[in-house]
Every structure is written in C-alpha cells, then in structure tokens.
Amino acid sequence: MSEPRSADPWRDTDVIDARAPRFNQAVVGIVGLAGVVLGWPLLWALMGAQLLIGLTLGRRFCLTCLAYFTLIQPRFGEGELEDSRPPRLANVIGSVFLGAAALAWWLGSPALGTVLGAIVAALALLAAVSGFCTGCEIYRLSARLRGISPKRHSQIEPADLAGAQLGAGRTFVEFTHPLCSECQEWERHLTGEPDPLVKVDVRERPDLARKYGIAVVPAVFAVGADGTVLERLAP
C-alpha cells in the first residue's frame, strides 16, 4: 500500500507528480512512432486531439492522466511534485505538431507529415527515457526571459513581503508553492545559509506572482536591504 498523496491530482492542478508527464511522453512517443512506421496519420490526429482535450477540459478527460493517477500512482506512490506549467506547454507543442503532421499527410504531403510525426516521437521518447523535456525547457527559458531581470524588475519592494524584515546584507526571497518538492529542497538549502529567507507562497499571493513575472516555481532571488535584486538563483 502506497503512502497517501500530498497533492490531489484532480484539484491541485498547479503542481504535478513529475513521473506523470514522463508516462504521458512515453505514450505520445510510442503512438507517434507507430504513426511513422505504419504510415497511419490517424494515430497522430487522435493523440493530438487527446492532448488538446486534456489541456482544455482538464486531467479527468486526459486518458494518460487517468491511467497514471488511477492505476500507476496508487501502486507505486507519489513522485516528486513540480510546477505543472512546463509540461503543459510541452503538451501544447505536441498537440500542435501532431495535428500538423496529420493535416500535412492528408493534404498530400506525407513526407512533411512523417518528419513532423518523427520529431514528436523522438522528443517525447527522449523525455520519457532521460527526463529531458524540450517543451519544458522552452517554457523555463521563456519564463526566465519574462521574469525578474535587470531590464524589467530590478527591485522587490520590501512592503510586498508581508512585513518581513530584509537583512542588512542580503536576503533570500523564494517564490514557492507548499506542494512543490523542488521548492522544499531550496528551502532546506537556504535555511542553512547565514542570510535570512523570506518565502512568498504564490498560491496565497498570486498578485505578487503576476507583479514580479513569476512564471515558474521555485523562483529564488538574493536581494539587498532596500529590495534591490542582486542575483537570481532559480530558475
């Protein structure tokens, strides 16, 4: 019997068991590869449509999510929890590419369709096997470009930190989520440092997440006594 879940997969949708996207990527990769090998564009269309349904209607309508959270996770237990937005973008990209592959085939360009289907299959299987998710990395890169930077936000206003006192030297400010495993790792690491740590729960303060462009958690910064951003530690 596995331990109880710390995150409800149907309600706590801002985080996800890190193994769930890898299971989904394995299925996408296998279906995509089957479409390439067998020359069946319908497989790409069905897989792309399933990804789109899950994205728009939620996890309860996502067949791979249902399989993972009802059959696999209860047996093997909950894995580490991560921000659900990077794998969500990966699903968006996969859905678009698979739909384009099927459409290209049916419009008379099977070579283009095969190339697009093969790209999805290769990247999805790579993510399933190695954990390197191209779509997730694209999200994190864009999040960093959209997030706090000297060009956009060079300062975190101390008044926004719920009355917390910034240290005379530097203070660590972590935008976090209570169910995020990587956030907890950062917290354990930073509490061992001599500089103080201020945590901002993005679930309780979505206004601050929007204000400072926090597109992924954990987001960790070293700030000066006046709130000046000295260094971005994560992502």
Side-chain angles (χ1 to χ4, degrees), residues 142-184:
S142 65
R144 189 172 183 85
L145 294 176
R146 297 196 309 271
I148 296 179
S149 69
K151 294 182 179 179
R152 290 196 56 191
H153 297 291
S154 60
Q155 185 167 12
I156 297 177
E157 297 178 22
D160 288 335
L161 301 179
Q165 296 295 317
L166 297 182
R170 67 174 183 171
T171 299
F172 296 115
V173 177
E174 178 188 13
F175 289 85
T176 183
H177 186 288
L179 298 177
C180 167
S181 300
E182 189 177 352
C183 299
Q184 295 167 11

Side-chain angles (χ1 to χ4, degrees), residues 123-143:
L123 293 179
L125 291 174
L126 173 65
V129 172
S130 70
F132 179 82
C133 170
T134 303
C136 301
E137 293 305 316
I138 291 174
Y139 181 91
R140 294 188 179 99
L141 175 61
S142 65

Side-chain angles (χ1 to χ4, degrees), residues 48-117:
Q50 171 55 204
L51 291 175
L52 181 61
I53 290 171
L55 288 165
T56 54
L57 299 182
R59 292 178 186 171
R60 292 187 183 276
F61 296 89
C62 166
L63 295 181
T64 56
C65 295
L66 287 171
Y68 181 81
F69 288 117
T70 61
L71 300 176
I72 298 175
Q73 192 192 60
R75 181 175 180 180
F76 295 99
E78 184 180 69
E80 290 190 357
L81 299 176
E82 63 180 11
D83 194 318
S84 63
R85 288 172 289 183
R88 181 178 176 84
L89 178 63
N91 282 349
V92 171
I93 295 173
S95 178
V96 170
F97 268 65
L98 288 170
L103 186 61
W105 184 292
W106 287 326
L107 290 178
S109 183
L112 176 59
T114 300
V115 169
L116 293 175

Side-chain angles (χ1 to χ4, degrees), residues 19 30 64 97 119 145 164 225-226:
R19 294 180 299 198
I30 292 170
T64 56
F97 268 65
I119 289 174
L145 294 176
D226 59 352

